[in-house]
């Protein structure tokens, strides 16, 4: 076989291969076109059929388990007075159980376990436990049980959700570290005001016995509270809130103490950059009119003013000024300034440090009779389980 025969064989083989491949491609294209045509016919047939409503599905039963979470509050602290200047404590472990009971009511329980800084032992109590209605007519809502009362801004908020670690001086002097809370009833009415949000609240409670200003009465002298909340949307980015509160109840002298309170809050949080920017200017003012022994009456006042701003995606800064009399001595004056830096990893974990300087015109035993002193705080908040939204 010479070279001519070899070349002829190669050309013949190539021609046969090309022809075979061409036939295969043609067959594949025909098959694909047939498949597309069949699919198109099926779609057209389905579209031409009349619509039939889907069979109704049975409604799933509500879960019998409430939303459960545990919030840990670990703190380190320094104070310039006394011999024991440094400390580290698990300040509180809060257990929350929250659930809708039925379409008409929901229940919220908060059980707190706290460490005694003197003994190091833990003790627990029901911090809050109340029932709230959900379906009353005429924009009404009732609450019954043990609850934080509708006084100003911070009293309704649990401490771990606040942007500072220690409570304002006037708040502690007038109502104690735990604030104003009690067992009783609360009725709120959302006023039919088309111009802006208005809510009126009335409460009657047997006040918590740890309150420094009010006493749980042995008679039928309950603590009565009225609060008017006014809220405006200035724009898509900013809001203003005004609140007025009146409180009256029996004091430790067996007479009555009356409180008038005003709160004002401005918030700015741009819609476009809400993850990175926000600004809050918050203020609360308290005026106390206390009947002591005989005809002795003490008029005292106090307030705090706070600026809270976001300086990064997870970094926040809060500055606060406090001024306070004692509710039983208007000659006593306590003033302080504090600065808090916070870092929020997520809504389930945050770390804060705070520095505070306090001056008083009279010595107090609880501060080792020091009139000027410094303090510093570290707080680490961590949450497991479901975590409810905070009050706006």
């Amino acid at each position: 076989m010479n070279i001519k025969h070899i070349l002829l064989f190669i050309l013949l083989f190539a021609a046969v291969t090309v022809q075979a491949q061409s036939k295969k491609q043609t067959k594949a294209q025909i098959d694909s076109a047939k498949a597309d045509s069949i699919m198109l016919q099926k779609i057209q047939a389905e579209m031409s059929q009349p619509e039939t409503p889907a069979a109704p599905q049975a409604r799933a039963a509500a879960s019998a388990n409430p939303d459960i979470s545990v919030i840990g509050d670990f703190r380190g602290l320094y104070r310039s007075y006394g011999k024991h200047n440094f400390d580290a404590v698990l300040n509180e472990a809060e257990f929350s159980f929250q659930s809708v009971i039925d379409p008409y009511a929901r229940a919220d329980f908060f059980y707190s376990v706290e460490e005694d800084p003197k003994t190091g032992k833990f003790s627990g109590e029901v911090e809050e436990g109340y029932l709230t209605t959900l379906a009353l007519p005429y924009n009404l809502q009732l609450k019954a049980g043990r609850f934080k009362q509708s006084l100003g801004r911070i009293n309704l908020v649990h401490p771990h959700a606040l942007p500072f670690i220690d409570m304002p001086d006037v708040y502690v002097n007038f109502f104690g570290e735990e604030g104003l809370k009690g067992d009783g009833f609360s009725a709120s009415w959302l006023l039919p005001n088309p111009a802006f949000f208005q809510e009126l609240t009335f409460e009657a409670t047997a006040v918590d016995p740890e309150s420094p200003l009010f006493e749980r009465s042995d008679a039928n002298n309950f603590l009565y509270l009225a609060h008017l909340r006014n809220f405006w949307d200035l724009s898509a980015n900013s809001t203003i809130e005004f609140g007025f509160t009146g409180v009256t109840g029996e004091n430790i002298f067996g007479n009555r103490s009356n409180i008038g309170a005003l709160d004002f809050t401005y918030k700015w949080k741009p819609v476009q950059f809400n993850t990175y920017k926000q600004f809050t200017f918050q203020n609360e003012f308290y005026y106390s009119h206390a009947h002591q022994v005989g005809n002795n009456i003490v008029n005292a006042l106090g307030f705090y003013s706070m600026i809270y701003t976001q300086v990064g995606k997870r970094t926040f800064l809060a500055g606060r000024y406090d001024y306070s009399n004692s509710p039983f001595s208007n000659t006593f004056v306590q003033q302080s300034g504090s600065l808090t830096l916070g870092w929020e990893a997520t809504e389930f974990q945050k770390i804060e440090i705070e520095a505070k300087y306090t001056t008083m015109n009279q010595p107090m035993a609880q501060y080792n009779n020091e009139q000027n002193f410094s303090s510093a705080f570290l707080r680490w908040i961590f949450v497991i389980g479901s975590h409810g939204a905070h009050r706006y």
Side-chain angles (χ1 to χ4, degrees), residues 133-324:
T133 62
L134 300 175
L136 291 183
Y138 306 111
N139 295 326
L140 293 172
Q141 188 172 72
L142 294 179
K143 183 191 295 184
R146 182 176 180 83
F147 50 85
K148 288 177 171 289
Q149 299 195 238
S150 302
L151 172 70
R153 288 285 300 172
I154 63 174
N155 192 72
L156 289 167
V157 183
H158 287 205
H160 66 262
L162 293 170
F164 41 77
I165 301 174
D166 76 312
M167 304 302 286
D169 296 333
V170 61
Y171 186 80
V172 175
N173 292 340
F174 281 34
F175 310 110
E177 288 282 354
E178 297 295 326
L180 191 63
K181 63 182 179 181
D183 306 287
F185 296 91
S186 174
S188 61
W189 176 39
L190 184 61
L191 276 68
N193 185 346
F196 58 92
F197 175 92
Q198 271 192 311
E199 183 184 45
L200 184 60
T201 303
F202 292 99
E203 296 175 349
T205 60
V207 70
D208 188 274
E210 296 181 1
S211 172
L213 180 58
F214 297 104
E215 183 84 357
R216 176 170 287 204
S217 176
D218 294 329
N220 295 323
N221 299 324
F222 296 101
L223 182 140
Y224 300 99
L225 179 147
H227 177 75
L228 177 63
R229 184 184 178 200
N230 307 275
F231 187 90
W232 292 267
D233 283 320
L234 298 181
S235 68
N237 300 326
S238 59
T239 60
I240 280 182
E241 180 176 339
F242 272 112
F244 305 93
T245 310
V247 186
T248 182
E250 185 174 312
N251 59 30
I252 61 175
F253 301 103
N255 297 316
R256 298 203 74 79
S257 286
N258 305 308
I259 293 285
L262 168 68
D263 62 88
F264 167 76
T265 303
Y266 167 79
K267 282 194 173 186
W268 174 79
K269 191 176 180 68
V271 175
Q272 188 175 1
F273 303 102
N274 63 83
T275 306
Y276 297 91
K277 295 180 180 180
Q278 64 172 297
F279 175 85
T280 301
F281 179 48
Q282 182 171 304
N283 309 266
E284 292 191 53
F285 175 87
Y286 302 96
Y287 176 80
S288 169
H289 181 79
H291 292 257
Q292 298 187 7
V293 179
N295 295 322
N296 187 23
I297 297 176
V298 175
N299 297 319
L301 58 87
F303 69 91
Y304 77 86
S305 183
M306 180 196 72
I307 289 177
Y308 174 69
T309 184
Q310 185 174 358
V311 295
K313 184 176 181 179
R314 295 185 176 89
T315 310
F316 302 84
L317 194 63
R320 198 185 74 220
Y321 171 74
D322 299 346
Y323 179 96
S324 177

Side-chain angles (χ1 to χ4, degrees), residues 8 75 102 147 200 242 325:
L8 182 61
R75 298 190 185 187
D102 52 34
F147 50 85
L200 184 60
F242 272 112
N325 296 143

